[in-house]
Structures are given as C-alpha cells and as structure tokens.
Amino acid sequence: MQFAVAIVSPPSNPTVGGAFQEVAETFHYALRALGHDSVLTTRLDLDERRTIVFGANHLVHYGLPVPKNPIFYNLEQLGDDSPWIAMPEFIDLFRRYQNWDYSQTNIEYLAALGLPRPAYVPIGYVPELTRIPPAAEDIDVLFYGMLSERRYAVLKDLQDRGLRVKWLSGVLGASRDAWIARSKIVLNLHYWEAKIFEIARVSYLLANRRTVVSERGADPTLERELEAGVVFADYDELVDRCVEMLGDERARRELADRGYQAFAARDQAAIVDRALADLDGVTHETATRDDGRIDVRLEDHDHSADHQLRNRNLLRHKSEQERDQLLAKVERNPEDARSVLFLAQTCLQLGDIYIARKWYARRVEMGGCDEEVYYALLRLAESMQQLGEPWPDVEDAYLRAWYFRPTRAEPLLPIATGYRQSQRYRLAYLFAQRAATIPIPDNDLLIPAEIAQVYAWRAADEQAVCASWIGKHAEAFTLCRRLLARPDIPDPDRQRIAANRDFSVPAMIEAAAPYPEAVVRSLTTDPGDAEITVSLIAGPDRHATEQTLNSFLNCCRDVSRVRRFLVLDTGLSARDRANLRRRYGFLEFPRRRSGDGPAAPLAQLHAKISGRFWLHLGEGWQFFAPENLITRLTAVLDTEPKVFQVGINYANADKLTGASAAEQAIRRAPGAGRYLLTEAMTRGPVMFDVARLNRAVGVQNCDPDSPAQRGRSAAADAGLRTATLDEVLCIAGLGF
C-alpha cells in the first residue's frame, strides 16, 4: 500500500509539528519495514496515498484541509483541562474518521464522552531512531517542555542542591539531541492534569539509551511495561531520586541499557502491521478537497493574528485556572515570591500586560533569588515597552536589568533595535555588538526559547544589520554568512538574512578585486601531482580574465591545495596573453583546437585533466566570499559517491538573488557545510569528480556539456547526480 505519514505544519507556524517528528518517523520506518511505500511529509494533499496524520489538533487549530483518506493518530493527553476537548471541531474528528491513539487512558476518556473508541496503537521501536551520538556528559539533569510553577519547583530544587540543570523550551531536532547527549539524566514531568506517561517523548530517549527519571502518573499499565528501564517516582520524590541516580554512574548505565532493551522489544513494525490488519472492513468517512476544510471557531479569533495569539487563545482556559490558583496562593501568603513570579508570567501569557507589569514589579521589590529578580526585571521592561510607555523609561528598565545581571545579553538587544529604528546606527551597533559577545549562561535556569535565540543568533543578526548601516560591510557580510550556516534559523529569517548579506556584496567585490601579489608568489604548481586542477576560459577581454583570477585567488582561502591552473584562450591578443603569463606565472595555456563546436572548450580542458578533481571557473565570473572553497567542494564529492559535479552557486544563479537554501532541503557533512542535491546541470563555476564525470558523459564522448544537452540522460543512466552549495558565492560580470 501507499502511505503518507504527514506532520501537520501550518504555513504560518511551520515548526509547530516538530514535537511529533520522532513518532512520525517511527511509523514511517515501520511501514517501510513492512514493505509499504511510505513518504514522510508535511503535505496533506497526497490523495493517492492513505495519510496517517500527526497533529490533528493543529489541523483543527489552523483550519487546514482534511486529507482525502486519513487516519488520525492522537498524541495529545485528553482530560478535562485539555484545550482540545473544548473544541467541537476536534471532537468531530473522532466521530467522522478512523483514529489511532497511543494511550488506553485517552481511549477510555473518549468512550466516557460517548465517542467512538480509537484503535490502540502504541508507540514502539525502530532501529533508525537510535541515532544520538555519545558526548561528554556535563549536564546533570535536563528537562525540556513548557515551564509551570510545579515543574520549575523541581528544577530549582535540583539547582539549589548544586546540580547543573538545563531547561529547554522550543528546542527540537539536532540542537535538542546535542543537549540530550550531554545529559546524565533526562527528567520527565507532567503538565496536564491527565498525567499520562509522556511515552512520545520518553520513547526517543529510551531508543538512545538515555537515563530517564519520570514523575509517576495515571497510566499504570504503560508505566509497568517500562519500569525496568525508567525510574518512576511521585512528584515529591523526584529530586531525591535524581540525586540518588547521579551518585551511582554504574546504576545509571545499567538502567539506560535496561530501558533500551525493554523498549526495543516493542517492535513498531509488528504493532503497525496489526493495526493495519484491524482496518480491514472498517468504514470511515473521507473528506473531499472541496468540503474538507475545518471551520475554526476560536475565542476572539482574528485571521490576521499570528500564531502567538492563536496559542494564547488556545491555552487560555488552562492559564486562567493557573492564574486563579496562583492568585489564591499569593493572597494566602503575600511573601510567596515564586508564586508572584509565575502569577506575573501567567498574566502575560493571557495578554493581561498591565496586570503582569504590576506583579513583575512586585517580584522585583521582594528580592531574593538573583535569577528570579533578573527575570522579573527583564519582563517588567518588556511589559513597559508593550504598553507604550516613554522610551527613556523603557530603556532605563532594560539597562537596570542588565546592570543587575551583566552576564545576560537579552536586555541589550531591544535597546540596540530601538536605536537602529531611530536611525542612531552607531549606538545601535555598540549595544548589539556587546550583546553578541556575551555567551549563554549555561548555569542559569530561566532561559526560554525566545531568550536562547538571542545568544544563538538574534544578537549577531542585529549586529550585522547595524554594521551594514555604518559601513562595516565585511563584518556584516561575515556575520550574515555565519548565521546562514546555522541549522536553527527559521526560514523567513534565513531569507531576510540572505538579502541582508547581499546588500554588502558590492563592497566585498571591490575588496576581492586587487591583484593578490602575495598569493600569486606563494603558489607552486606540479602538473604531475595535481589532484586538483583549476581551469578557466579567457576570452578577448583580458580584464575579465584577471577579474576572475584575482577574485578567486583573494577569496579561495585554501587555494594552496591547487597544483595546476589551465587557461583556454578563446581570443586573447598576443600581448594580453603575454601579460597574463607574466603576472600569473603558474598558468598553463593548452593549445586550442580550431574548428570545433561551441562545447569544445570544456571537452578540450577535460582531456587535459589527470587528477581526481577539476574546478572549472568558466568565463567572466567574479568571486566575493572568502571561503575554503576547495575543501567544501571536495568534501561534498567525498560524502556523496553518486554526485559527479558540485556547483558553487545555489539554484544556478548568475547574479545576486537574496536567497539561501531552506534548511529542510539541505544536507551537511564535515568540511562541506550546507549543500543540496539537485537535478539540474550547473552552468556556472563547478567542480567535477573526473572519474564520475567520465562515467556520466561516456568514455567515448568526454564532453562535460553533454549531459546538459541531453537532459542529463547520460548521468542518470550511470546512476549519478548533481549537487550545489547553499548560497551564491560569485556572479557573472557585474550581475547584481
């Protein structure tokens, strides 16, 4: 059968389905192990496939179309405080469609509401998810998820006992995996009143042999199945159990191994096979493309509101309950500083900014824990800014927060942004630069995702923008490229940063233009030992040839790896040719055969290449990005045995495009950075693996243009592909 394992990814909030990634992958790999044709996707319109949907709650929340032939897999905890239960559209999915659920407790809850019972399809193991590489374990306890007062109390108690505790919020994928690898214990704490064991989160940890300490909950059957490999404890015992496990490394290792063995015994392929067999004879309603869009009815819903407003509305009932409970605690004990802090935070989540400002100010007055006071000072300044208070007062509030805790960078960023917006660019640059130099304080606990981004990339992003405004184009260009190399930049910001990078390119082209006398003197050539050969075509314009040579030599930081430079003369005067020989003594000018067709120059150069790698620079190109270009290109070819050519410019660009490849499209390898596989032949500067090129074009017709002319048929017949780096690093002439 054909399946689509689809993670709901709303266009306005594409990362919202990231929490479902590993479980969706589990089902995808299980289907493939069973011999089914499965694709892992975010598309909901693959009508020819049976679509297993992860994140139906977000499909409802964002009013997205229902797939034509769906199975909805519910991963939410369903209880009286679940926001989804209050949404008729979500409940309607259980009435109208086939549903699978990971929890028997959820199934019984739905049955008690009079709804059809979903099929019980638990989460199991596939080998592909055992993939987190080991690392030095310098974190004692890691927790990731939304923070609440009850969760914070445990984490703060652990920190107060001298342990290194890390809380992650909104961190997914490789970044989260790196933190998991560094952690001795990963802690699991409940958030919802249903208190169903978070197997979706813990399964990935068990598959990677991590030590898990979990709060005991309301799902004893599931907990009993994994108790040999997970430390379950009541809420008030969690801190002591963590401390106990941290004191016995051998016990931790043995527990992690038992957890892996217990979970690995739950074969996901067998589980899915049984679930599919049970589908036989089951009828279910299918939505057509015309009437399948869910009508969303959110309180105060505004189609122009962003996803933060949506999420605030969604969690409003839960937040209102927490606010009322915290307010009652503060009324009983006005000196309860922690409850005051979380009361302010909950009011902020509800959008009651004026009330939040009041409680943050109260928490500052109470003193005590430095980090809590700092956090209240920061949020107080943010609340003042949102309320439109005079900028001098707001700036003073941010500076007060920074003076109180100068190891934190986030108060400086809004000051930099404020000065930039008022066109005071030099002051803006100084504040942004200072923020970007402050490392993330790993020992601090209250660093949610939006604050962690300040240290990861937002401060550097602001510094780059301000640098370009004050003429520091090389700095701006370098910062933008460094940001674009990161995996955690949201795609809209990635494209904006790429456009900002290109703003500084004219200055970079000017910097790369001078004759590089020192580099020219340092180059040595040895045609007999030339693993890497560089070639270019010199037309009638000697200036254009020098432009290409100068810019390449100035930008290619590892040009010393090149042992041979070939120049094919297609029309130089004798004088110009002599001048090139004099200025660039390493150049070889092979004899050109006359009377050949327009593709002959490449074929003639190809015949002269004896080493493994051939970098052809073409004619009239200008390089402007300092880069270990040889290392990157050869690393791609070393990593991808089916790739025979790697283009330098993304999307075959010959001019600035203000674009960078989206993260989901790219690959990475040591030394290669970001690159992507493509179907198109490269028209600009390109590196070939010569042996693969010979296979691609055929030994009887060694014309590198041949695959392009024949629609890549020769390369495809040889099982070979093309690739490209992830950005634009050179332009044709003055192709701005």
Side-chain angles (χ1 to χ4, degrees):
M1 291 180 65
Q2 289 186 314
F3 290 93
V5 179
I7 302 172
V8 176
S9 180
S12 62
N13 190 10
T15 62
V16 73
F20 307 129
Q21 180 69 32
E22 285 79 31
V23 179
E25 287 183 66
T26 299
F27 277 75
H28 167 66
Y29 289 123
L31 288 165
R32 285 193 166 184
L34 293 169
H36 296 292
D37 176 0
S38 174
V39 294
L40 186 65
T41 182
T42 58
R43 292 180 58 181
L44 300 170
D45 60 348
L46 300 178
D47 294 349
E48 73 281 4
R49 295 176 177 269
R50 189 76 188 268
T51 303
I52 303 175
V53 180
F54 288 82
N57 49 326
H58 296 305
L59 182 143
V60 167
H61 190 37
Y62 289 87
L64 301 176
V66 175
K68 188 173 183 180
N69 196 14
I71 299 170
F72 290 108
Y73 192 96
N74 176 56
L75 277 171
E76 297 301 313
Q77 294 194 33
L78 303 181
D80 292 342
D81 65 339
S82 168
W84 311 112
I85 293 300
M87 296 185 71
E89 300 83 7
F90 181 69
I91 295 298
D92 198 41
L93 296 180
F94 291 97
R95 292 194 180 97
R96 296 176 59 191
Y97 302 103
Q98 180 69 39
N99 281 266
W100 291 349
D101 204 298
Y102 76 105
S103 166
Q104 288 282 15
T105 303
N106 275 346
I107 293 170
E108 295 306 319
Y109 181 85
L110 291 168
L113 294 178
L115 294 167
R117 290 175 178 269
Y120 176 53
V121 184
I123 297 171
Y125 175 76
V126 293
E128 289 85 352
L129 262 65
T130 303
R131 63 191 184 195
I132 299 179
E137 294 180 348
D138 58 341
I139 304 296
D140 291 316
V141 180
L142 170 70
F143 171 76
Y144 50 94
M146 289 192 298
L147 201 61
S148 63
E149 185 192 22
R150 72 185 302 275
R151 285 175 161 180
Y152 174 75
V154 173
L155 301 180
K156 190 68 173 68
D157 195 351
L158 287 166
Q159 187 185 53
D160 289 344
R161 296 200 187 194
L163 303 179
R164 192 172 186 200
V165 183
K166 182 68 179 178
W167 164 51
L168 300 181
S169 170
V171 181
L172 300 168
S175 298
R176 178 212 51 199
D177 289 358
W179 285 107
I180 291 173
R182 292 173 55 188
S183 301
K184 298 172 184 176
I185 289 174
V186 183
L187 181 61
N188 181 56
L189 284 159
H190 298 311
Y191 181 79
W192 303 104
E193 288 300 320
K195 294 184 179 180
I196 299 172
F197 178 51
E198 288 81 358
I199 183 62
R201 174 184 303 165
V202 174
S203 62
Y204 188 55
L205 300 171
L206 297 179
N208 286 281
R209 288 186 168 89
R210 306 314 300 170
T211 302
V212 179
V213 175
S214 176
E215 181 183 1
R216 198 175 297 281
D219 202 347
T221 301
L222 185 53
E223 292 177 8
R224 189 162 48 247
E225 292 175 3
L226 297 173
E227 197 151 19
V230 176
V231 174
F232 288 101
D234 292 334
Y235 176 80
D236 56 4
E237 299 173 340
L238 287 169
V239 173
D240 289 338
R241 295 308 304 275
C242 285
V243 172
E244 176 185 326
M245 293 302 297
L246 287 169
D248 192 339
E249 181 178 356
R250 180 178 177 181
R252 288 202 315 274
R253 302 298 182 198
E254 291 176 349
L255 179 74
D257 286 339
R258 291 197 304 271
Y260 171 79
Q261 296 298 334
F263 185 65
R266 296 160 59 97
D267 182 3
Q268 188 71 67
I271 292 169
V272 171
D273 198 30
R274 288 192 297 270
L276 294 177
D278 291 342
L279 285 177
D280 292 343
V282 176
T283 60
H284 59 278
E285 183 174 342
T286 60
T288 66
R289 192 63 53 220
D290 292 334
D291 64 3
R293 186 173 296 275
I294 293 174
D295 180 21
V296 180
R297 301 183 184 90
L298 290 180
E299 180 184 350
D300 299 326
H301 180 68
D302 177 359
H303 288 283
S304 65
D306 63 14
H307 65 86
Q308 290 181 342
L309 177 59
R310 288 176 178 267
N311 291 340
R312 192 169 69 218
N313 286 332
L314 176 66
L315 296 174
R316 189 170 189 86
H317 179 63
K318 175 76 170 175
S319 297
E320 286 174 343
Q321 288 180 328
E322 292 179 350
R323 179 201 58 197
D324 294 344
Q325 293 166 2
L326 289 164
L327 187 58
K329 290 176 69 174
V330 172
E331 288 174 348
R332 289 194 300 269
N333 180 11
E335 301 306 314
D336 184 349
R338 185 171 298 165
S339 293
V340 169
L341 178 65
F342 277 88
L343 177 57
Q345 189 70 6
T346 305
C347 290
L348 187 68
Q349 291 170 354
L350 286 166
D352 299 332
I353 300 172
Y354 181 79
I355 303 300
R357 183 197 189 288
K358 164 191 162 185
W359 288 112
Y360 281 127
R362 170 61 183 145
R363 179 62 190 91
V364 171
E365 293 170 0
M366 297 173 76
C369 173
D370 282 354
E371 188 181 356
E372 291 183 11
V373 173
Y374 162 76
Y375 190 78
L377 282 166
L378 175 67
R379 295 306 192 195
L380 174 61
E382 292 173 345
S383 300
M384 292 169 63
Q385 186 172 13
Q386 291 183 59
L387 290 168
E389 296 187 27
W391 173 249
D393 295 340
V394 173
E395 181 186 11
D396 184 67
Y398 278 121
L399 286 173
R400 185 184 173 198
W402 185 60
Y403 291 150
F404 185 84
R405 203 168 181 83
T407 57
R408 298 291 289 258
E410 53 272 20
L412 301 178
L413 186 58
I415 297 176
T417 303
Y419 278 125
R420 173 173 56 81
Q421 291 172 343
S422 63
Q423 300 183 12
R424 301 175 70 180
Y425 299 120
R426 293 194 178 276
L427 269 175
Y429 172 80
L430 291 173
F431 276 100
Q433 182 188 46
R434 183 69 183 92
T437 63
I438 299 175
I440 188 167
D442 284 343
N443 292 326
D444 283 7
L445 192 56
L446 291 169
I447 306 180
E450 73 275 11
I451 287 179
Q453 288 181 348
V454 172
Y455 300 90
W457 63 274
R458 289 199 181 277
D461 181 20
E462 184 67 43
Q463 181 185 353
V465 173
C466 295
S468 68
W469 277 108
I470 62 175
K472 292 179 175 286
H473 290 294
E475 179 180 325
F477 183 83
T478 300
L479 286 169
C480 286
R481 290 197 66 220
R482 193 178 300 157
L483 290 167
L484 292 171
R486 296 184 61 90
D488 54 351
I489 304 294
D491 193 57
D493 288 293
R494 181 176 296 283
Q495 303 313 317
R496 174 185 55 77
I497 293 168
N500 288 345
R501 184 207 76 138
D502 285 358
F503 184 80
S504 296
V505 166
M508 300 303 296
I509 289 176
E510 184 177 351
Y515 173 68
E517 183 175 355
V519 177
V520 170
R521 288 181 178 178
S522 70
L523 289 175
T524 59
T525 60
D526 185 358
D529 187 30
E531 183 190 29
I532 300 166
T533 298
V534 171
S535 69
L536 68 154
I537 296 174
D541 184 356
R542 176 173 64 88
H543 174 71
T545 302
E546 290 187 338
Q547 180 178 268
T548 298
L549 281 168
N550 291 346
S551 63
F552 174 74
L553 295 175
N554 279 316
C555 291
C556 185
R557 289 175 169 170
D558 53 358
V559 70
S560 61
R561 294 182 59 188
V562 180
R563 287 291 179 268
R564 195 179 187 197
F565 290 82
L566 298 178
V567 180
L568 192 66
D569 178 1
T570 61
L572 290 170
S573 69
R575 181 178 179 180
D576 285 344
R577 183 164 170 156
N579 283 334
L580 286 175
R581 284 184 182 276
R582 178 177 54 80
R583 299 197 80 194
Y584 309 93
F586 50 82
L587 297 181
E588 293 180 52
F589 286 83
R591 184 183 297 276
R592 182 188 177 193
R593 298 192 305 268
S594 60
D596 292 322
L602 275 177
Q604 290 184 38
L605 287 168
H606 186 189
K608 299 292 183 180
I609 307 299
S610 57
R612 179 186 171 189
F613 299 114
W614 171 25
L615 173 56
H616 182 57
L617 305 184
E619 180 179 3
W621 289 81
Q622 288 180 284
F623 293 80
F624 53 80
E627 179 63 270
N628 291 319
L629 198 56
I630 305 298
T631 299
R632 284 193 69 182
L633 295 168
T634 56
V636 175
L637 291 168
D638 284 339
T639 303
E640 302 287 350
K642 297 296 185 182
V643 167
F644 76 95
Q645 67 159 219
V646 185
I648 289 178
N649 280 353
Y650 170 54
N652 258 327
D654 60 2
K655 59 185 177 182
L656 300 179
T657 62
S660 175
E663 181 65 25
Q664 61 266 28
I666 67 96
R667 298 188 176 199
R668 277 186 168 81
R674 300 172 86 243
Y675 66 95
L676 62 161
L677 301 183
T678 67
E679 299 300 327
M681 295 295 294
T682 298
R683 295 188 299 271
V686 59
M687 176 173 275
F688 298 100
D689 181 297
V690 176
R692 298 174 200 169
L693 173 63
N694 292 341
R695 296 204 307 273
V697 301
V699 294
Q700 299 301 319
N701 178 22
C702 292
D703 176 1
D705 271 0
S706 185
Q709 293 172 349
R710 302 202 307 265
R712 287 195 75 246
S713 60
D717 290 345
L720 296 172
R721 299 196 62 180
T722 61
T724 177
L725 301 184
D726 67 304
E727 52 183 329
V728 177
L729 301 177
C730 55
I731 57 173
L734 293 176
F736 291 116

